Amino acid sequence: MDIIRLLPDSVANQIAAGEVIQRPSSCLKELVENSLDAGASRIRVIVQDAGRTLLQVIDDGQGMSPTDVRMAFERHATSKIKEAADLFSLRTMGFRGEALASICSVAQVEVMTRRPEDELGTRLVIHGSQVMEQEAVQCPAGTNIKVKNLFFNVPVRRKFLKTDQTELRNLLSEFYRIVLVYPQVQFTMVSQDEILSDLPAGTDKQRIESVFGKSVRQPFTGRFVDIKVETDVVSVHGFVGKPESAGKNPQQYFFVNGRFMRHPYFHKAVMTAYEGMLSADAAPSYFIYFDINPESIDVNIHPTKTEIKFADDQIIFQILLAAVREALGKFNVAPSLDFDVAGRLEIPVVSPSSAQPSSAYRPVTTHDSSYNPFNRMAQHDRPQTDWQRLYEAVDRSQPEVQPQLFDCGVELSKCYQYAGRYILFALGGSLMIADQHRAHTCVLFNKYSQQMAIARSASQQLLFPEVWEVSPEDMPVVDAMADDLRKVGFDMERLDRNSFSIQGIPAALDAGGTVPALQDILASVKDTRSSMREDWCNRIALSLAYDTAISYGTVLSDEQMMDLIKDLLALKTYKVLPDGKAIVTEYEQAEIEKRF
Ligand code: ADP
Ligand code: MG
């Protein structure tokens, strides 16, 4: 008996849908791209429940004839390529003819469309690939497509969807990837009857500004420099962030021929151009647009089409690197840089006289490689097993402190500060070296976590309230964590759709650091990909702890060090931070003895 048969179209379409339509945001992408391919100059996106119940796209593009609209929902039906050779000269966003067929196999679709030259348009209703209705109607020129109850017939896929908040964030990021390449098109995005994004037609720069400008208060020109280069292989233009405006929440976008793309290799080129200009945890924003002969790229390697292969990627790497370097150099941004030492590998040598105990203090980055406290000991030929004597060389000016019993139940004699960033002390016969910044971060992390649990904190009122502007994309996240931010001391109130007024801040925070600290928290919470409140709270507490802990280079008095170490040792976990960073290392006496 023969056993092979062709799958019914509805099944084949659902299988294809698995690849093309993974979530509401992929559906949004396909629909908006179709509108752009149809030459629309105004596009309105409307969603309900993050696209779960409704995703609607209305355009003023070329519309479809009654026959074409029926065809459009068939598999491999496209008006955009006729033969295989066309694949290599693509200038449209879509070409596979799969999207509408996929969408209508997993949703209830209603479309109204009219070509400008026709008097009547067509209304077509399809549920799970089944045509339910088709009729002639009066409607505006263009296409209006409603996708209702996505995955209504595929419960497993429905279960894969994340919280509305996450899905809405996905919708917005997808939306941004598109609107950033079509500044000449007017876009509106509406969710739950509220306008989330309203973008007038304009230039590249204006578009970036209207999408992201609100979340960063400096004007565009203050934060970005232009890049531009034209070669036979590729033309590149765009904007790269000045190093000093780099942060933890960068916006990084590559586009090729009007299409968003990911390209880790080209990303590396950009980052290489910034080498030595950024502090360890800051990354620059960039918006870089490539124009290239479509024949030298292959967009076909992934159905969702964000990975793109370039025939000349090594040459483009060099071109890009040079262009970004030149842009950063030309505007003379490099020399005025202020290096943040905290995250660098070199250990700064800080002299107490030049150091101030302020978090704004940046230590000098000279590294005295000949300095080694062990050397001095080596000159004395008596064997030393007592680590305290070993470190007499480091700091003779400090009077001896008698061993004391602290409430952490540990006997601690004396602490020494080394290189402006380590605290040395003896514990249970071992030599302990603690990283001062991380030790304090750990103590504060525990404190903030407790405050969040009991909802009590020390807040300092600001004389001049700060305004925190949040991009619409991040608003759902901020709304969800606002209560927890209040618990750690941020006295905040919603000002309008995109901003908060911050009237009070955690007692330990510098007023000037308010917005950066909030941005850090936001970046860290977004990074969890968890929707568990507990995970969020941990992120908030840790991020705030990092931002308020004593910095490297801060000279600590004996008493401050003792207090800090005492607080640290009183914690249940004091050797590593929740993000896995080591706080203390330990050298057993036997290990030290081996060195002599
Ligand atoms: P593709 O975009 O890859 O061609 P789709 O399934 O997304 O495949 O769309 C199929 C066809 O339907 C398109 O080629 C186009 O002719 C037509 N179409 C889809 N959306 C629109 C729209 N908004 N306006 C006009 N025509 C459209
Ligand atoms: Mg398409």
Side-chain angles (χ1 to χ4, degrees):
M1 194 177 71
D2 300 330
I3 50 170
I4 297 180
R5 71 195 108 121
L6 279 175
L7 289 175
D9 272 358
S10 56
V11 178
N13 287 343
Q14 273 197 17
I15 295 170
E19 271 197 280
V20 185
I21 307 298
Q22 284 128 351
R23 46 187 3 102
S25 59
S26 23
C27 190
L28 173 137
K29 170 177 188 280
E30 295 297 336
L31 296 179
V32 174
E33 288 186 350
N34 280 348
S35 298
L36 291 164
D37 286 344
S41 59
R42 289 167 52 199
I43 297 175
R44 190 176 178 87
V45 178
I46 300 170
V47 301
Q48 289 291 347
D49 306 316
R52 254 178 247 273
T53 48
L54 175 73
L55 191 102
Q56 180 176 13
V57 176
I58 308 171
D59 68 49
D60 62 354
Q62 69 194 21
M64 287 173 268
S65 74
T67 332
D68 279 352
V69 66
R70 184 67 190 74
M71 271 295 283
F73 289 89
E74 296 293 334
R75 194 119 177 269
H76 304 307
T78 178
S79 55
K80 298 166 196 173
I81 52 172
K82 292 199 181 71
E83 50 192 29
D86 294 350
L87 267 176
F88 299 98
S89 52
L90 275 174
R91 283 281 175 183
T92 52
M93 309 279 278
F95 60 89
R96 297 165 164 263
E98 273 181 338
L100 291 185
S102 300
I103 293 170
C104 81
S105 74
V106 292
Q108 299 163 339
V109 176
E110 178 187 344
V111 57
M112 289 209 275
T113 184
R114 180 169 73 82
R115 294 182 298 182
E117 64 269 30
D118 295 340
E119 214 158 284
L120 281 181
T122 311
R123 174 169 170 272
L124 177 67
V125 179
I126 304 185
H127 289 184
S129 298
Q130 297 275 316
V131 177
M132 314 298 278
E133 286 172 57
Q134 174 157 10
E135 57 180 344
V137 290
Q138 279 196 315
C139 62
T143 302
N144 178 342
I145 177 162
K146 283 187 195 166
V147 175
K148 291 188 221 161
N149 304 319
L150 189 63
F151 303 134
F152 79 104
N153 53 354
V154 205
V156 227
R157 304 237 94 210
R158 233 177 18 237
K159 274 201 211 113
F160 268 116
L161 296 182
K162 302 273 166 49
T163 58
D164 274 9
Q165 225 173 61
T166 310
E167 294 300 343
L168 188 61
R169 212 195 305 152
N170 289 332
L171 282 169
L172 276 163
S173 3
E174 200 63 66
F175 181 71
Y176 292 158
R177 288 172 183 185
I178 301 173
V179 302
L180 289 169
V181 248
Y182 286 87
Q184 70 282 14
V185 176
Q186 186 211 312
F187 286 94
T188 315
M189 166 110 175
V190 178
S191 160
Q192 311 298 104
D193 304 319
E194 200 188 334
I195 297 180
L196 285 191
S197 195
D198 196 4
L199 308 168
T203 62
D204 286 355
K205 254 187 210 175
Q206 287 165 336
R207 178 54 52 89
I208 297 171
E209 188 83 79
S210 42
V211 173
F212 298 110
K214 284 218 151 172
S215 55
V216 195
R217 266 183 294 164
Q218 277 167 312
F220 190 87
T221 43
R223 288 178 285 126
F224 287 90
V225 292
D226 292 35
I227 66 164
K228 193 166 178 56
V229 57
E230 279 181 34
T231 67
D232 291 344
V233 183
V234 68
S235 302
V236 183
H237 80 278
F239 314 97
V240 294
K242 293 185 181 173
E244 64 266 32
S245 60
K248 288 185 186 162
N249 215 353
Q251 303 292 344
Q252 300 178 330
Y253 289 87
F254 282 131
F255 304 98
V256 57
N257 294 353
R259 198 193 288 274
F260 169 82
M261 69 163 177
R262 281 176 214 288
H263 211 293
Y265 183 57
F266 292 167
H267 172 76
K268 195 160 167 257
V270 177
M271 298 315 284
T272 308
Y274 279 93
E275 223 155 61
M277 301 184 186
L278 301 169
S279 61
D281 49 359
S285 289
Y286 58 78
F287 301 88
I288 298 176
Y289 303 77
F290 297 83
D291 246 302
I292 190 161
N293 181 345
E295 289 180 19
S296 65
I297 55 173
D298 181 2
V299 292
N300 207 4
I301 57 174
H302 194 273
T304 51
K305 293 171 273 177
T306 57
E307 338 271 84
I308 291 181
K309 240 179 21 206
F310 286 71
D312 303 311
D313 57 355
Q314 294 185 14
I315 301 170
I316 297 174
F317 182 101
Q318 295 304 332
I319 294 173
L320 185 60
L321 170 61
V324 178
R325 257 198 196 138
E326 191 200 286
L328 295 177
K330 187 154 79 195
F331 292 87
N332 220 5
V333 283
S336 66
L337 290 174
D338 185 7
F339 287 55
D340 184 351
V341 161
R344 312 187 85 211
L345 281 175
E346 300 96 318
I347 297 169
V349 174
V350 177
S351 75
S353 59
S354 67
Q356 298 139 29
S358 135
S359 59
Y361 171 69
R362 298 262 190 276
V364 189
T365 59
T366 47
H367 173 64
D368 178 2
S369 55
S370 64
Y371 179 69
N372 179 347
F374 292 92
N375 286 347
R376 290 223 210 168
M377 287 318 305
Q379 287 157 14
H380 302 262
D381 46 31
R382 59 197 153 103
Q384 287 285 339
T385 50
D386 177 354
W387 76 269
Q388 293 185 36
R389 288 220 215 137
L390 198 65
Y391 281 90
E392 276 173 12
V394 180
D395 190 350
R396 286 173 189 281
S397 61
Q398 315 275 2
E400 278 293 315
V401 176
Q402 289 310 305
Q404 274 175 272
L405 196 67
F406 292 105
D407 41 358
C408 52
V410 176
E411 206 167 298
L412 201 61
S413 53
K414 180 164 171 35
C415 296
Y416 296 88
Q417 189 176 24
Y418 170 60
R421 62 189 285 161
Y422 300 109
I423 299 173
L424 316 183
F425 58 99
L427 184 71
S430 294
L431 164 62
M432 312 291 280
I433 305 182
D435 176 304
Q436 69 183 45
H437 176 63
R438 293 181 187 174
H440 196 207
T441 301
C442 189
V443 169
L444 291 175
F445 167 74
N446 281 275
K447 183 176 134 194
Y448 296 139
S449 297
Q450 275 169 18
Q451 287 176 354
M452 285 165 107
I454 59 171
R456 203 177 307 138
S457 62
S459 177
Q460 48 167 326
Q461 290 301 300
L462 291 177
L463 210 47
F464 303 101
E466 294 264 335
V467 175
W468 182 28
E469 312 245 21
V470 176
S471 71
E473 184 190 13
D474 293 333
M475 212 60 207
V477 186
V478 178
D479 272 336
M481 67 179 185
D483 267 348
D484 291 314
L485 289 175
R486 289 189 189 99
K487 286 183 196 153
V488 285
F490 288 101
D491 183 358
M492 55 196 274
E493 232 174 78
R494 181 96 174 230
L495 263 188
D496 58 31
R497 207 153 46 81
N498 285 327
S499 55
F500 286 89
S501 154
I502 314 291
Q503 277 131 18
I505 56 174
L509 195 63
D510 281 346
T514 306
V515 171
L518 285 165
Q519 294 287 32
D520 287 348
I521 291 174
L522 175 61
S524 164
V525 166
K526 274 168 58 185
D527 191 47
T528 56
R529 298 183 197 284
S530 159
S531 44
M532 304 256 302
R533 183 173 163 262
E534 195 191 323
D535 293 337
W536 287 37
C537 288
N538 278 339
R539 290 294 184 121
I540 294 175
L542 185 62
S543 172
L544 187 63
Y546 268 118
D547 278 338
T548 47
I550 46 162
S551 55
Y552 296 116
T554 305
V555 175
L556 301 173
S557 70
D558 278 9
E559 213 183 351
Q560 286 170 321
M561 285 191 278
M562 291 292 244
D563 284 349
L564 174 54
I565 297 303
K566 182 183 79 173
D567 288 347
L568 180 72
L569 297 180
L571 300 174
K572 248 195 278 163
T573 340
Y574 65 82
K575 288 198 171 165
V576 278
L577 280 165
D579 58 7
K581 294 205 171 118
I583 302 169
V584 214
T585 53
E586 180 173 350
Y587 292 90
E588 284 181 11
Q589 189 169 340
E591 224 177 313
I592 297 171
E593 277 170 15
K594 258 192 255 151
R595 292 175 161 260
F596 294 93

